[in-house]
Amino acid sequence: MASSVFRPRTTSLLTGQNKENEDIKLEEHTLNREFKWLLESEFSHKLLAIQKCLEECNQKLSVVLRSSHGSSGHKILLSHPQQGEPVTCVASVEGDKISKADITLRLPAKLGSAKPLRTSIKEHAAWRLKQIQDSANHFEIAYQKLQTIIDNTDMLSSPILLSQAFSELCGSLRSAQQVLVVPQLPSVAEIYSAELRSHFKPELPEDTVIHFHINSYKLVLTIFSVAQINRPVNTNNPTSSSFQIGSTFDYGTNCYEVTNQIQVQSPVPWLSTVLDLLQDAQSITQDFIDKVKVFEDVFFG
C-alpha cells in the first residue's frame, strides 16, 4: 500500500495574503478619495471661515496695528462696589495705552484724612498696556501665516504639510489670546519703580502703588498700600513677585511690606469681541487639524 504524501496548502495561504493585500489597497483607495474631498471642499471652506474671523479681528485691532493718533478712545469707569467707593477711576483707553485717567482713592490707612487722594495720568506720559500690543503682534503673525497658506494652497497637498501649516497658525492665534487671558504681571518692586510712578500727577505718596493691566477683556486697576519695615533675617513670607497682603519686597536699600490691596475692573468692549474672534478662529483651525491628522496617522504616518 502506497504511503500518502504531505502537500503544503500554499494555495490557501496565498489566497489569504491576496485578500489582505486587497483590503489594504481598498483602504488606501478610500482614504485617498476622502483626503481628496477634504482638500477640494473642506479646505477652502475652513480657510474662508478663518479669514472672515481674522479680518473682523483686524478691524478691531487696527487702532493698535496702525497709528491710533486722533482716536477719541473708550472712556471706562472703574469703581469699587463697597460702600463709600474706596476707589474711583475714569480712564480713556486708546489702542494699547491709557491716555488719560483720573483716580480718587480712599484707602484704609487714610480714612482719617479729611481729603481723599486724587491723582491723574499725565497726558504726555500715557500708560502703555503692553499686553494689547503683544497680542496685536501675535495676531499679525497669525494673519501673515494665514495669507501664506492661502497663497500656497497647491503646495499643501499632503496631510503632514497641511497639519504643520495649520498648527503654526493655531499656535499664533493661541499666543494672541493667551497674552491677554493669562497676564504676566511685574513684581510689586517693579511696579514701585520710579519709571511707573512717573506717570502720575500729582506724584503718589511713597506708601501708595498703582498699576493697570489687562485680564481677559477687562481693564484692571490695582492699588497697593506699602509700609517700610526692617528687613527680615529669615522669613517664609510670600516672595516679592506676589501681590498678596503681607508679602515683602526690596527697593533700593529699603524693604517694604504690602499692607493692603484694592482691585477694581471694568470691561473694554472691543477686547471682548477680539477674544471671541480669536477663539472662533482657533476652534475652526483645530477642527481642521484634527480631521487632517486622521489621514496623517492612519495612512500617511
Side-chain angles (χ1 to χ4, degrees), residues 170-197:
C170 195
S172 294
L173 291 170
R174 189 177 298 111
S175 295
Q177 180 190 47
Q178 287 296 102
V179 75
L180 297 172
V181 175
V182 187
Q184 298 295 315
L185 300 179
S187 67
V188 181
E190 291 170 323
I191 296 172
Y192 194 76
S193 69
E195 180 182 356
L196 292 184
R197 296 173 70 83

mmCIF file of all heavy atoms in Angstrom, residues 170-197:
data_model
loop_
_atom_site.group_PDB
_atom_site.id
_atom_site.type_symbol
_atom_site.label_atom_id
_atom_site.label_comp_id
_atom_site.label_asym_id
_atom_site.label_seq_id
_atom_site.Cartn_x
_atom_site.Cartn_y
_atom_site.Cartn_z
ATOM 1 N N CYS A 170 -2.505 78.041 14.322
ATOM 2 C CA CYS A 170 -3.239 77.897 15.586
ATOM 3 C C CYS A 170 -2.381 78.352 16.766
ATOM 4 O O CYS A 170 -2.882 78.969 17.713
ATOM 5 C CB CYS A 170 -3.671 76.443 15.778
ATOM 6 S SG CYS A 170 -4.932 76.207 17.041
ATOM 7 N N GLY A 171 -1.074 78.069 16.712
ATOM 8 C CA GLY A 171 -0.169 78.484 17.780
ATOM 9 C C GLY A 171 -0.097 79.992 17.914
ATOM 10 O O GLY A 171 -0.094 80.530 19.034
ATOM 11 N N SER A 172 -0.048 80.700 16.798
ATOM 12 C CA SER A 172 -0.001 82.169 16.841
ATOM 13 C C SER A 172 -1.320 82.751 17.349
ATOM 14 O O SER A 172 -1.330 83.726 18.108
ATOM 15 C CB SER A 172 0.315 82.721 15.448
ATOM 16 O OG SER A 172 1.628 82.352 15.053
ATOM 17 N N LEU A 173 -2.436 82.148 16.934
ATOM 18 C CA LEU A 173 -3.740 82.590 17.430
ATOM 19 C C LEU A 173 -3.845 82.387 18.938
ATOM 20 O O LEU A 173 -4.352 83.244 19.671
ATOM 21 C CB LEU A 173 -4.864 81.824 16.722
ATOM 22 C CG LEU A 173 -5.064 82.131 15.239
ATOM 23 C CD1 LEU A 173 -6.036 81.133 14.627
ATOM 24 C CD2 LEU A 173 -5.568 83.558 15.049
ATOM 25 N N ARG A 174 -3.339 81.249 19.401
ATOM 26 C CA ARG A 174 -3.386 80.943 20.834
ATOM 27 C C ARG A 174 -2.519 81.933 21.615
ATOM 28 O O ARG A 174 -2.904 82.399 22.696
ATOM 29 C CB ARG A 174 -2.930 79.514 21.086
ATOM 30 C CG ARG A 174 -3.141 79.029 22.522
ATOM 31 C CD ARG A 174 -2.736 77.572 22.688
ATOM 32 N NE ARG A 174 -3.545 76.707 21.842
ATOM 33 C CZ ARG A 174 -3.095 76.044 20.781
ATOM 34 N NH1 ARG A 174 -1.819 76.174 20.416
ATOM 35 N NH2 ARG A 174 -3.891 75.276 20.086
ATOM 36 N N SER A 175 -1.354 82.280 21.069
ATOM 37 C CA SER A 175 -0.472 83.242 21.742
ATOM 38 C C SER A 175 -1.131 84.612 21.829
ATOM 39 O O SER A 175 -1.019 85.299 22.855
ATOM 40 C CB SER A 175 0.858 83.349 20.990
ATOM 41 O OG SER A 175 1.567 82.133 21.029
ATOM 42 N N ALA A 176 -1.826 85.024 20.754
ATOM 43 C CA ALA A 176 -2.519 86.315 20.758
ATOM 44 C C ALA A 176 -3.602 86.354 21.828
ATOM 45 O O ALA A 176 -3.848 87.402 22.436
ATOM 46 C CB ALA A 176 -3.132 86.582 19.381
ATOM 47 N N GLN A 177 -4.233 85.206 22.072
ATOM 48 C CA GLN A 177 -5.275 85.136 23.086
ATOM 49 C C GLN A 177 -4.690 85.045 24.496
ATOM 50 O O GLN A 177 -5.109 85.748 25.411
ATOM 51 C CB GLN A 177 -6.165 83.924 22.816
ATOM 52 C CG GLN A 177 -7.304 83.744 23.807
ATOM 53 C CD GLN A 177 -7.997 82.412 23.629
ATOM 54 O OE1 GLN A 177 -7.369 81.366 23.526
ATOM 55 N NE2 GLN A 177 -9.321 82.453 23.579
ATOM 56 N N GLN A 178 -3.687 84.177 24.653
ATOM 57 C CA GLN A 178 -3.154 83.897 25.983
ATOM 58 C C GLN A 178 -2.495 85.102 26.638
ATOM 59 O O GLN A 178 -2.552 85.264 27.854
ATOM 60 C CB GLN A 178 -2.143 82.741 25.913
ATOM 61 C CG GLN A 178 -2.780 81.381 25.689
ATOM 62 C CD GLN A 178 -3.682 80.963 26.832
ATOM 63 O OE1 GLN A 178 -4.901 81.046 26.754
ATOM 64 N NE2 GLN A 178 -3.082 80.514 27.912
ATOM 65 N N VAL A 179 -1.867 85.951 25.848
ATOM 66 C CA VAL A 179 -1.179 87.103 26.429
ATOM 67 C C VAL A 179 -2.173 88.056 27.098
ATOM 68 O O VAL A 179 -1.818 88.818 27.995
ATOM 69 C CB VAL A 179 -0.349 87.840 25.345
ATOM 70 C CG1 VAL A 179 -1.227 88.654 24.417
ATOM 71 C CG2 VAL A 179 0.713 88.717 25.978
ATOM 72 N N LEU A 180 -3.444 87.974 26.690
ATOM 73 C CA LEU A 180 -4.493 88.774 27.320
ATOM 74 C C LEU A 180 -5.156 88.033 28.482
ATOM 75 O O LEU A 180 -5.448 88.608 29.521
ATOM 76 C CB LEU A 180 -5.573 89.143 26.292
ATOM 77 C CG LEU A 180 -5.135 90.022 25.123
ATOM 78 C CD1 LEU A 180 -6.267 90.137 24.103
ATOM 79 C CD2 LEU A 180 -4.727 91.406 25.609
ATOM 80 N N VAL A 181 -5.362 86.734 28.293
ATOM 81 C CA VAL A 181 -6.098 85.933 29.272
ATOM 82 C C VAL A 181 -5.231 85.554 30.468
ATOM 83 O O VAL A 181 -5.720 85.442 31.597
ATOM 84 C CB VAL A 181 -6.671 84.666 28.601
ATOM 85 C CG1 VAL A 181 -7.335 83.755 29.609
ATOM 86 C CG2 VAL A 181 -7.673 85.059 27.512
ATOM 87 N N VAL A 182 -3.930 85.321 30.228
ATOM 88 C CA VAL A 182 -3.002 84.942 31.307
ATOM 89 C C VAL A 182 -1.913 86.004 31.394
ATOM 90 O O VAL A 182 -0.809 85.832 30.859
ATOM 91 C CB VAL A 182 -2.385 83.549 31.052
ATOM 92 C CG1 VAL A 182 -1.559 83.113 32.260
ATOM 93 C CG2 VAL A 182 -3.460 82.522 30.732
ATOM 94 N N PRO A 183 -2.206 87.125 32.047
ATOM 95 C CA PRO A 183 -1.232 88.225 32.088
ATOM 96 C C PRO A 183 0.019 87.870 32.883
ATOM 97 O O PRO A 183 -0.058 87.231 33.932
ATOM 98 C CB PRO A 183 -2.011 89.352 32.780
ATOM 99 C CG PRO A 183 -3.077 88.660 33.574
ATOM 100 C CD PRO A 183 -3.451 87.448 32.785
ATOM 101 N N GLN A 184 1.160 88.267 32.344
ATOM 102 C CA GLN A 184 2.440 88.124 33.047
ATOM 103 C C GLN A 184 2.704 89.443 33.766
ATOM 104 O O GLN A 184 3.170 90.413 33.168
ATOM 105 C CB GLN A 184 3.558 87.805 32.051
ATOM 106 C CG GLN A 184 3.368 86.506 31.297
ATOM 107 C CD GLN A 184 3.421 85.302 32.217
ATOM 108 O OE1 GLN A 184 4.287 85.203 33.077
ATOM 109 N NE2 GLN A 184 2.491 84.379 32.034
ATOM 110 N N LEU A 185 2.376 89.470 35.063
ATOM 111 C CA LEU A 185 2.443 90.719 35.806
ATOM 112 C C LEU A 185 3.836 90.961 36.379
ATOM 113 O O LEU A 185 4.529 90.018 36.764
ATOM 114 C CB LEU A 185 1.418 90.695 36.937
ATOM 115 C CG LEU A 185 -0.049 90.528 36.511
ATOM 116 C CD1 LEU A 185 -0.945 90.488 37.730
ATOM 117 C CD2 LEU A 185 -0.465 91.656 35.574
ATOM 118 N N PRO A 186 4.248 92.218 36.468
ATOM 119 C CA PRO A 186 5.526 92.538 37.117
ATOM 120 C C PRO A 186 5.405 92.357 38.626
ATOM 121 O O PRO A 186 4.298 92.241 39.170
ATOM 122 C CB PRO A 186 5.737 94.009 36.759
ATOM 123 C CG PRO A 186 4.350 94.547 36.578
ATOM 124 C CD PRO A 186 3.548 93.420 35.982
ATOM 125 N N SER A 187 6.527 92.331 39.296
ATOM 126 C CA SER A 187 6.510 92.248 40.755
ATOM 127 C C SER A 187 6.116 93.602 41.333
ATOM 128 O O SER A 187 6.149 94.636 40.648
ATOM 129 C CB SER A 187 7.887 91.841 41.268
ATOM 130 O OG SER A 187 8.824 92.869 41.002
ATOM 131 N N VAL A 188 5.750 93.603 42.622
ATOM 132 C CA VAL A 188 5.417 94.862 43.285
ATOM 133 C C VAL A 188 6.629 95.794 43.281
ATOM 134 O O VAL A 188 6.494 97.016 43.136
ATOM 135 C CB VAL A 188 4.937 94.615 44.734
ATOM 136 C CG1 VAL A 188 4.566 95.934 45.403
ATOM 137 C CG2 VAL A 188 3.743 93.679 44.745
ATOM 138 N N ALA A 189 7.818 95.215 43.411
ATOM 139 C CA ALA A 189 9.037 96.036 43.386
ATOM 140 C C ALA A 189 9.185 96.755 42.050
ATOM 141 O O ALA A 189 9.566 97.931 41.998
ATOM 142 C CB ALA A 189 10.260 95.160 43.662
ATOM 143 N N GLU A 190 8.859 96.059 40.948
ATOM 144 C CA GLU A 190 8.947 96.689 39.619
ATOM 145 C C GLU A 190 7.875 97.759 39.458
ATOM 146 O O GLU A 190 8.114 98.816 38.860
ATOM 147 C CB GLU A 190 8.809 95.615 38.543
ATOM 148 C CG GLU A 190 9.998 94.675 38.469
ATOM 149 C CD GLU A 190 9.742 93.479 37.569
ATOM 150 O OE1 GLU A 190 8.608 92.967 37.553
ATOM 151 O OE2 GLU A 190 10.688 93.044 36.892
ATOM 152 N N ILE A 191 6.676 97.492 40.016
ATOM 153 C CA ILE A 191 5.603 98.478 39.941
ATOM 154 C C ILE A 191 5.966 99.724 40.751
ATOM 155 O O ILE A 191 5.600 100.847 40.407
ATOM 156 C CB ILE A 191 4.280 97.870 40.458
ATOM 157 C CG1 ILE A 191 3.843 96.709 39.561
ATOM 158 C CG2 ILE A 191 3.176 98.919 40.500
ATOM 159 C CD1 ILE A 191 2.659 95.942 40.096
ATOM 160 N N TYR A 192 6.701 99.516 41.835
ATOM 161 C CA TYR A 192 7.088 100.615 42.732
ATOM 162 C C TYR A 192 8.170 101.501 42.104
ATOM 163 O O TYR A 192 8.466 102.569 42.620
ATOM 164 C CB TYR A 192 7.591 100.043 44.063
ATOM 165 C CG TYR A 192 7.708 101.048 45.181
ATOM 166 C CD1 TYR A 192 6.575 101.507 45.843
ATOM 167 C CD2 TYR A 192 8.949 101.528 45.582
ATOM 168 C CE1 TYR A 192 6.677 102.425 46.881
ATOM 169 C CE2 TYR A 192 9.057 102.445 46.622
ATOM 170 C CZ TYR A 192 7.922 102.889 47.270
ATOM 171 O OH TYR A 192 8.017 103.791 48.286
ATOM 172 N N SER A 193 8.720 101.080 41.007
ATOM 173 C CA SER A 193 9.848 101.795 40.402
ATOM 174 C C SER A 193 9.466 103.217 40.007
ATOM 175 O O SER A 193 8.302 103.531 39.735
ATOM 176 C CB SER A 193 10.352 101.052 39.167
ATOM 177 O OG SER A 193 9.388 101.121 38.128
ATOM 178 N N ALA A 194 10.465 104.061 39.939
ATOM 179 C CA ALA A 194 10.244 105.465 39.600
ATOM 180 C C ALA A 194 9.657 105.616 38.203
ATOM 181 O O ALA A 194 8.882 106.542 37.941
ATOM 182 C CB ALA A 194 11.566 106.225 39.709
ATOM 183 N N GLU A 195 9.995 104.678 37.302
ATOM 184 C CA GLU A 195 9.518 104.771 35.924
ATOM 185 C C GLU A 195 7.996 104.719 35.863
ATOM 186 O O GLU A 195 7.349 105.515 35.182
ATOM 187 C CB GLU A 195 10.108 103.638 35.083
ATOM 188 C CG GLU A 195 9.648 103.663 33.634
ATOM 189 C CD GLU A 195 10.210 102.511 32.830
ATOM 190 O OE1 GLU A 195 11.010 101.731 33.382
ATOM 191 O OE2 GLU A 195 9.836 102.391 31.663
ATOM 192 N N LEU A 196 7.386 103.757 36.569
ATOM 193 C CA LEU A 196 5.937 103.639 36.554
ATOM 194 C C LEU A 196 5.266 104.726 37.395
ATOM 195 O O LEU A 196 4.194 105.212 37.054
ATOM 196 C CB LEU A 196 5.508 102.252 37.048
ATOM 197 C CG LEU A 196 5.858 101.076 36.130
ATOM 198 C CD1 LEU A 196 5.305 99.769 36.675
ATOM 199 C CD2 LEU A 196 5.315 101.319 34.717
ATOM 200 N N ARG A 197 5.910 105.120 38.483
ATOM 201 C CA ARG A 197 5.329 106.149 39.335
ATOM 202 C C ARG A 197 5.324 107.518 38.655
ATOM 203 O O ARG A 197 4.534 108.398 39.010
ATOM 204 C CB ARG A 197 6.095 106.215 40.662
ATOM 205 C CG ARG A 197 5.982 104.945 41.491
ATOM 206 C CD ARG A 197 6.897 104.989 42.706
ATOM 207 N NE ARG A 197 6.429 105.951 43.690
ATOM 208 C CZ ARG A 197 5.485 105.697 44.592
ATOM 209 N NH1 ARG A 197 4.891 104.514 44.622
ATOM 210 N NH2 ARG A 197 5.114 106.606 45.464
#
